[in-house]
Amino acid sequence: MTDPLSDFPITRRWPPRRPEAIQLYTLNTPNGVKASIMLEECGLDYDAHRIDIGDAAADQMTPEFLALNPNNKIPAMIDPYGPGGQPLGLWESGAILLYLGDKTGRFLPKDGAARWHTVQWLMFQMGGVGPMFGQLGFFHAFKGREIEDKRPRDRYVAESRRLLGVLDRQLEGRDWITGDYSIADIATAPWVNNLVNRYKAGDLVGADDFANVAAWVDRFLARPAVQRGLVVGAEN
């Protein structure tokens, strides 16, 4: 039987343990765990390969990784049995969530207004929550904290707080962002969890003011598939 992954250079650097399974290239960052949580929630068989993004010479800058994702970011994946039964390489966490939702028919409505309602909240995370929380993390928890001028940090504090307010209002009277558990929750909750528990920015943004968000994150973290997905790609 022909190996469906043999045309992907990345598989020579990170050999598949099971070529018939989805190959996931990731790290347990807020973006990385979106893919692993979705795979766990959907019950799909996959091999996970840890990608070190620690410096400019790390795994994501290698020719093999760039052959799959020219934007040198995690997560990326290969489905050996994609559309039409042909292998599909895919990158960008939002695209991966949409693809897996369509592939399995889970956590993404098939059509109609409900589908687009879910997609718009996925875009809210992709265009707002992720970039803004990430910049706040840089200026508060990483090298940006060394900058004496706090105006850049404060700009992202204000925008992060505004986004938390939008999310809190949407969650009023709802367990999940769109009513039913969906890719919008899988995309967004890891970022909120990261903001508070890794960046230690909860006090900075007044996280205690957003009770609906806090309860929603707790519900999310209680899911067994989420617990499994959050540690995929972690250091051993």
Side-chain angles (χ1 to χ4, degrees):
M1 180 178 178
T2 302
D3 179 359
L5 304 179
S6 60
D7 289 337
F8 293 88
I10 197 169
T11 64
R12 295 193 280 276
R13 186 177 180 93
W14 290 278
R17 290 178 286 276
R18 294 166 300 150
E20 73 283 359
I22 288 173
Q23 303 297 305
L24 177 66
Y25 307 91
T26 194
L27 188 69
N28 65 330
T29 68
N31 280 332
V33 299
K34 295 178 197 175
S36 53
I37 289 170
M38 184 66 171
L39 287 163
E40 290 287 345
E41 290 280 18
C42 293
L44 291 171
D45 194 21
Y46 70 101
D47 282 345
H49 306 274
R50 185 178 186 276
I51 303 300
D52 182 0
I53 63 172
D55 55 60
D59 291 340
Q60 86 275 16
M61 300 303 296
T62 60
E64 294 89 351
F65 189 85
L66 290 170
L68 178 60
N69 182 1
N71 195 35
N72 63 273
K73 303 291 184 182
I74 57 95
M77 72 173 217
I78 305 170
D79 184 353
Y81 303 105
Q86 298 301 307
L88 174 70
L90 202 59
W91 47 277
E92 277 295 336
S93 58
I96 289 171
L97 291 177
L98 289 166
Y99 173 75
L100 293 175
D102 278 345
K103 180 181 177 72
T104 63
R106 302 194 67 190
F107 313 117
L108 174 63
K110 184 177 180 180
D111 51 29
R115 179 182 179 88
W116 289 108
H117 191 52
T118 302
V119 170
Q120 76 179 355
W121 282 100
L122 173 65
M123 296 301 110
F124 169 77
Q125 185 280 308
M126 299 294 294
V129 168
M132 296 301 104
F133 287 14
Q135 292 290 349
L136 175 53
F138 174 77
F139 284 104
H140 177 64
F142 301 116
K143 283 191 175 293
R145 66 185 176 183
E146 300 168 5
I147 299 172
E148 292 185 9
D149 185 347
K150 296 306 177 188
R151 284 176 294 180
R153 185 204 67 175
D154 291 347
R155 172 182 173 85
Y156 293 115
V157 168
E159 181 61 4
S160 295
R161 182 173 171 81
R162 187 190 72 80
L163 291 166
L164 286 169
V166 173
L167 186 57
D168 198 72
R169 291 188 292 275
Q170 176 64 17
L171 286 164
E172 181 67 35
R174 297 182 178 90
D175 283 344
W176 305 107
I177 292 175
T178 60
D180 294 328
Y181 183 68
S182 75
I183 60 172
D185 302 287
I186 293 171
T188 311
W191 272 105
V192 178
N193 182 52
N194 198 72
L195 180 74
V196 174
N197 293 314
R198 186 181 181 205
Y199 296 162
K200 307 298 183 185
D203 289 344
L204 197 62
V205 298
D208 289 345
D209 295 338
F210 306 106
N212 295 326
V213 171
W216 163 74
V217 171
D218 285 345
R219 284 191 292 274
F220 180 77
L221 295 176
R223 296 178 68 91
V226 169
Q227 294 169 16
R228 295 191 301 269
L230 282 172
V231 298
V232 173
E235 291 188 46
N236 294 328

